[in-house]
Amino acid sequence: TFSENDGSAECTLCEAGYSTEGVRGEDKCVACPAGQFTAEPGTGSCSKCAAGTSTDNKAGAHYCTDCPAGKIAAEEGAANCTACNAGSYSVSKKLCAVCK
């Protein structure tokens, strides 16, 4: 939550995709960085996208999306999915394998 004005009677929830990163006494919400999200308003901190998903390099995300065929996100917190190299293919949204 945050309060942007002096003399506020209450705090305001940050909208989905934004947080105060768990710091009390904030006067504004900040967008979750690319690769992280908040699905619900009022979340204190951003969560990393699961492996195999990303925020398509967008900040302030409400959710993460699955990597499309041919691309992967091997680790959690990926800002975007990366293409498998020539001579390989995606066997899952998290792993490329070499063509045989």
Side-chain angles (χ1 to χ4, degrees), residues 1-97:
T1 62
F2 72 103
S3 174
E4 61 188 356
N5 300 313
D6 293 339
S8 294
E10 60 185 16
C11 291
T12 304
L13 294 176
C14 294
E15 64 183 90
Y18 290 77
S19 79
T20 56
E21 289 303 315
V23 178
R24 297 194 187 281
E26 286 296 312
D27 61 358
K28 64 181 179 180
C29 296
V30 293
C32 293
Q36 298 183 25
F37 72 101
T38 59
E40 300 291 329
T43 303
S45 61
C46 303
S47 299
K48 290 182 179 181
C49 292
T53 67
S54 78
T55 59
D56 294 323
N57 217 27
K58 294 180 182 127
H62 301 189
Y63 56 88
C64 302
T65 57
D66 287 342
C67 292
K71 293 188 175 186
I72 65 162
E75 298 180 12
E76 65 179 22
N80 55 20
C81 300
T82 56
C84 293
N85 293 329
S88 65
Y89 66 101
S90 59
V91 292
S92 71
K93 296 174 189 332
K94 305 176 207 174
L95 179 68
C96 294

